[in-house]
Amino acid sequence: MEFWRNRNFAWGIIVATIATVVLTPIILKGLSSLGGDWQSLSNVGQAYGFLSVIFSGAALIGVAISLAYQAHQTNISNEEERRAAHRELALMSINDPELLVCWQPSQSPLPLALARQLHFTHLIVTQYYSDYLLKRVNDEATRVQLELHFRGERARDHWVDRSVGWREFAEATGDARQIRFVDLMDEAYENAVAAGPSIAASSYFAPDPGS
């Protein structure tokens, strides 16, 4: 349920608990000044003690939820900053062939234009990967996304060239979700190849009407 992940909800529990603990003795004192039955007030006090335990537990749960939410948001922020830095470096190298050779080489020498296209495709896959790790998309949505992705020639070329590296890195981390993403990539690639030829990069665009 989404409201349990909302830090406003967690802080609401904490504030309500503090208010209950602070106001209850005041209310009891007010009742005693009206000449109420002390035995009844004693029973109320015992009930208050029981309720205070429940509310204190709820407050601790609220604090735990709030801390977990903040940790999750921090992880997202750190991941996005890391991806932004990686993206900036990649775009700089795409625009400067002298920097492009600073990245890992392809399995075989490539024409410069093709190397730049595969490098840019790597950025696209990295975005898919980031969204999957941060759980912005589930397996089914990722499958749909990758099915479309692997219709293209460059997408398939990129995975042929880089899949081994992605697999080795994911398994080295031991992170189940990273490994799962590579599994989804392999599955989508194999399905695309079985479905037929890719759409050639040269066929992406129709001739200009005036040409």
Side-chain angles (χ1 to χ4, degrees):
M1 298 171 66
E2 285 297 321
F3 63 85
W4 285 105
R5 299 171 58 185
N6 189 311
R7 60 181 177 181
N8 292 330
F9 177 79
W11 281 111
I13 293 177
I14 296 171
V15 171
T17 301
I18 294 173
T20 301
V21 172
V22 170
L23 293 177
T24 300
I26 298 173
I27 294 172
L28 289 175
K29 185 176 180 181
L31 290 174
S32 67
S33 67
L34 297 176
D37 182 357
W38 281 104
Q39 181 60 44
S40 298
L41 291 177
S42 176
N43 293 336
V44 172
Q46 291 178 15
Y48 163 71
F50 174 72
L51 290 175
S52 68
V53 171
I54 295 177
F55 280 116
S56 296
L60 289 175
I61 293 173
V63 171
I65 293 172
S66 180
L67 291 175
Y69 177 84
Q70 291 176 21
H72 178 66
Q73 291 300 107
T74 298
N75 288 338
I76 290 177
S77 178
N78 290 340
E79 178 68 17
E80 288 178 341
E81 288 179 4
R82 191 168 72 89
R83 293 297 172 196
H86 176 270
R87 184 166 55 251
E88 183 177 354
L89 289 173
L91 290 174
M92 287 173 59
S93 61
I94 287 174
N95 294 324
D96 188 340
E98 292 184 1
L99 298 179
L100 193 58
V101 298
C102 298
W103 293 87
Q104 68 184 67
S106 297
Q107 293 184 8
S108 59
L110 300 173
L112 177 58
L114 178 57
R116 293 174 68 180
Q117 289 173 349
L118 295 189
H119 201 58
F120 194 83
T121 305
H122 184 76
L123 279 178
I124 295 172
V125 174
T126 299
Q127 183 61 50
Y128 297 158
Y129 170 74
S130 181
D131 287 342
Y132 186 75
L133 287 190
L134 295 176
K135 299 183 179 181
R136 290 172 175 157
V137 292
N138 57 21
D139 283 20
E140 290 307 312
T142 300
R143 284 192 180 95
V144 172
Q145 196 172 46
L146 296 181
E147 178 185 354
L148 297 172
H149 176 70
F150 279 120
R151 289 180 184 177
E153 179 182 17
R154 292 295 173 257
R156 298 189 190 184
D157 291 342
H158 165 263
W159 198 239
V160 168
D161 187 63
R162 299 290 182 91
S163 60
V164 173
W166 276 79
R167 172 68 63 183
E168 290 177 349
F169 179 81
E171 292 182 349
T173 66
D175 186 297
R177 197 159 181 85
Q178 294 189 42
I179 296 172
R180 179 59 182 157
F181 178 79
V182 178
D183 290 341
L184 290 171
M185 287 287 293
D186 280 339
E187 175 190 313
Y189 172 78
E190 291 168 3
N191 289 341
V193 171
S198 62
I199 299 175
S202 59
S203 301
Y204 264 52
F205 309 107
D208 291 333
S211 62

